[in-house]
Amino acid sequence: MVFNTGAALLDAIVLAVVSKDKEGTYGYKITQDVRRVLDVSESTLYPVLRRLLKDDCLEVYDQAYAGRNRRYYKLTQKGAAQLNLYKVEWKNYSSKISRLFEGGI
């Protein structure tokens, strides 16, 4: 992609992916889901997950899977509120850019 993806947009994308499953989802699946729309590496996404954990937007728990533990990430109330804010901001931002591209101001 030609456009750079900033930290806030990555946060919003990860929160959106995690929000799709009420019980949470694990890191590899988050990476795969994000990669469907954006070319990013795991080394880019795991710091995003750590930042969202530190900011109390996500909580984490481990669950056994195939003889080992798998770390799951789940949206918190604060994370859901932050995601809603990102959705509103994105709608406003993207509509302004679209209008500009289409010749408006």
Side-chain angles (χ1 to χ4, degrees):
M1 181 186 285
V2 176
F3 301 104
N4 288 332
T5 306
L9 184 55
L10 281 172
D11 288 358
I13 290 167
V14 169
L15 288 173
V17 167
V18 173
S19 75
K20 300 300 177 199
D21 191 338
K22 296 286 185 204
E23 297 303 312
T25 188
Y26 54 98
Y28 180 75
K29 183 163 183 342
I30 294 168
T31 301
Q32 295 307 307
D33 289 348
V34 171
R35 282 183 176 165
R36 289 183 184 156
V37 296
L38 193 62
D39 185 27
V40 294
S41 67
E42 286 182 31
S43 63
T44 298
L45 288 178
Y46 279 96
V48 173
L49 290 168
R50 284 192 295 273
R51 180 173 58 246
L52 291 169
L53 280 167
K54 182 178 160 261
D55 292 344
D56 297 322
C57 290
L58 296 177
E59 59 188 27
V60 67
Y61 66 93
D62 292 335
Q63 186 171 326
Y65 177 80
R68 50 179 271 201
N69 278 339
R70 181 182 273 175
R71 178 147 291 175
Y72 283 79
Y73 298 87
K74 185 176 177 181
L75 207 61
T76 63
Q77 279 187 313
K78 183 177 179 182
Q82 186 64 43
L83 177 57
N84 286 332
L85 176 65
Y86 282 139
K87 286 178 180 179
V88 169
E89 289 292 320
W90 178 256
K91 186 175 181 178
N92 290 334
Y93 176 77
S94 63
S95 67
K96 288 176 184 177
I97 298 298
S98 292
R99 280 195 308 270
L100 183 64
F101 283 163
E102 294 164 3
I105 299 254

